[in-house]
């Protein structure tokens, strides 16, 4: 994965986390950003950085208080994909497979599943069984 792809996926994970537990925030605009970001990541790996400002703007719109929080929790921050090196090897492989499939299905897959997959990728040492359940959701 190129650095630009990692940066884009990390930003998409942060956006997906904003919607976690708040399904009403998975608006048509958010769905489009998630879908187009995943598709761009697959289609044009070197152009991924151009989508990041739109992702950050949407995160700021959905969770405006996060930017000015005096005790930020970091939940909605962009995820650093290099942290996946701390996951067990089998989980890293499953997460990479999930991400590849999410990119393939970006335009046709259920957006709720795409969002959950992104959230799952961003949780370290998440557990192989739950990651396999996410894989089933993608179809």
């Amino acid at each position: 994965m190129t650095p630009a792809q990692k940066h884009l996926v990390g930003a998409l994970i942060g956006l997906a986390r904003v919607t976690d537990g708040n399904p009403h925030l998975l608006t048509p605009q958010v769905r489009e950003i998630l879908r187009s970001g995943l598709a761009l990541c697959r289609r044009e790996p070197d152009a991924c950085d151009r989508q990041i400002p739109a992702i950050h703007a949407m995160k700021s719109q959905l969770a405006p208080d996060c930017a000015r929080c005096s005790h930020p929790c970091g939940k909605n921050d962009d995820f650093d994909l290099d942290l996946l090196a701390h996951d067990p090897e089998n989980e890293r492989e499953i997460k990479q497979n999930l991400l590849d499939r999410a990119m393939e299905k970006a335009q046709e897959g259920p957006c709720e599943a795409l969002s959950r997959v992104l959230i799952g990728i961003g949780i370290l040492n998440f557990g192989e069984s739950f990651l396999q359940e996410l894989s089933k959701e993608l179809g």
Side-chain angles (χ1 to χ4, degrees), residues 12 20-21 25 35 52 64 99 105 117:
L12 290 170
D20 189 24
L25 294 179
R35 288 182 185 284
I52 293 179
L99 182 56
K105 295 182 171 264
V117 163

Side-chain angles (χ1 to χ4, degrees):
M1 206 173 220
T2 69
Q5 285 174 304
K6 287 180 178 182
H7 193 187
L8 176 59
V9 171
L12 290 170
I13 288 170
L15 178 59
R17 286 176 173 175
V18 171
T19 68
D20 189 24
N22 300 295
H24 66 283
L25 294 179
L26 202 54
T27 64
Q29 295 88 356
V30 172
R31 291 170 190 260
E32 177 54 31
I33 288 174
L34 291 174
R35 288 182 185 284
S36 64
L38 286 168
L40 180 68
C41 196
R42 183 168 192 237
R43 201 177 55 246
E44 299 178 55
D46 296 327
C48 290
D49 285 334
R50 71 177 186 215
Q51 183 127 3
I52 293 179
I55 296 168
H56 289 167
M58 182 57 68
K59 282 196 315 187
S60 293
Q61 181 181 342
L62 296 175
D65 292 336
C66 283
R68 56 182 174 261
C69 181
S70 61
H71 300 291
C73 67
K75 176 185 177 245
N76 302 330
D77 290 350
D78 292 359
F79 181 74
D80 180 359
L81 286 171
D82 289 334
L83 292 174
L84 295 179
H86 300 291
D87 274 344
E89 185 175 349
N90 57 332
E91 283 187 33
R92 280 195 311 272
E93 289 175 15
I94 293 169
K95 286 180 179 183
Q96 184 60 55
N97 184 7
L98 277 170
L99 182 56
D100 291 343
R101 289 185 48 224
M103 285 188 247
E104 287 173 18
K105 295 182 171 264
Q107 297 305 316
E108 67 205 40
C111 201
E112 293 80 5
L114 295 173
S115 180
R116 281 192 292 276
V117 163
L118 287 166
I119 292 166
I121 290 169
I123 299 174
L124 298 176
N125 298 309
F126 202 29
E128 193 173 328
S129 61
F130 188 76
L131 292 170
Q132 290 172 343
E133 287 298 317
L134 288 174
S135 182
K136 291 177 187 174
E137 283 188 48
L138 281 178

